[in-house]
Amino acid sequence: QVQLVESGGGSVQAGESLRLSCAASGYTYSSYCMGWLRQAPGKERERVATIYIHEQYTYYDDSVKGRFTISQDNAKNTVYLQMNSLKPEDTAVYYCALCGYQTYEYKYWGQGTQVTVSS
């Protein structure tokens, strides 16, 4: 059973930083990608950052470029999202996601962690 467990969310002031972690377990294939998405109240879920593992390529939404960094520790099956210079508009529930077997589509999701940024 695949499990993704997120941690690191919280409440901060604008301009501060947070680091989210996502520990993945229970999968036996070499995933093509992992990433982070977020959903703010009343809005659709949006992709924030993705790491394409074999290609060693990272994707960022324009709204977070230059402020957020996604990284992975293969030995720990953990993906991180370093979030700097946080803004109130970054407030959302952040979800970790894992791509399915031999696909670039997300198949597994974490439970989400709340990030709240106040001005």
Side-chain angles (χ1 to χ4, degrees), residues 28-91:
T28 58
Y29 61 94
S30 179
S31 177
Y32 286 179
C33 46
M34 292 184 73
W36 293 91
L37 299 90
R38 67 187 179 187
Q39 187 166 19
K43 295 187 177 180
E44 293 187 355
R45 189 174 297 188
E46 63 178 2
R47 192 163 62 134
V48 175
T50 304
I51 185 165
Y52 295 92
I53 298 166
H54 300 302
E55 295 86 348
Q56 289 294 296
Y57 170 76
T58 54
Y59 159 85
Y60 297 97
D61 184 79
D62 286 344
S63 65
V64 306
K65 279 182 182 176
R67 301 188 297 122
F68 290 11
T69 302
I70 188 171
S71 61
Q72 185 189 30
D73 184 332
N74 287 328
K76 297 181 179 179
N77 283 342
T78 300
V79 65
Y80 304 97
L81 185 68
Q82 178 66 43
M83 305 186 294
N84 298 329
S85 302
L86 282 161
K87 303 176 180 180
E89 51 264 44
D90 294 319
T91 295

